[in-house]
Amino acid sequence: MVSFDLTGIQFVKKASVSPLTGAWVPGGEDDTECQTLVRTMLSEIRDGGEEVCKAYAAKLDNYSGPVVLTDEDIEEQTKDIPDGDKATIDFMVEQVTKFAKETKSKIS
């Protein structure tokens, strides 16, 4: 089991239901419209890949830029971010990844 270091963390609120505490579905158990929408979107993305993602980005976020960046693009976009901030972001990504893996192991 993955262990998370919560030293110094004070939670300001707590979810009554989460993937770690019980059954959870998008929108809640009674929101079948939301569940259907999410299932449809995920199915379309699974089947249509990047092109469907681009269509959803344009529709939902009015975004039409690239969805996949090269290493050079990433370097150019992040060159002005201080190294300390990059380290903090890397740490947060690691923590979220650990949480996602642990959550997945509980619901799979």
Side-chain angles (χ1 to χ4, degrees), residues 18-89:
S18 80
L20 292 177
T21 61
W24 179 87
V25 292
E29 290 182 27
D30 297 334
D31 194 345
T32 57
E33 182 180 352
C34 179
Q35 294 170 31
T36 300
L37 176 63
V38 169
R39 285 187 183 105
T40 300
M41 289 175 72
L42 292 175
S43 177
E44 290 175 0
I45 291 168
R46 188 179 310 110
D47 295 341
E50 187 176 322
E51 291 307 312
V52 173
C53 287
K54 288 179 181 179
Y56 273 123
K59 178 181 176 181
L60 300 174
D61 298 321
N62 199 29
Y63 178 77
S64 60
V67 294
V68 178
L69 301 176
T70 66
D71 289 341
E72 292 79 19
D73 292 334
I74 294 169
E75 181 59 36
E76 177 63 28
Q77 295 295 320
T78 61
K79 68 182 180 186
D80 296 329
I81 299 173
D83 289 340
D85 291 348
K86 288 180 183 179
T88 299
I89 292 167

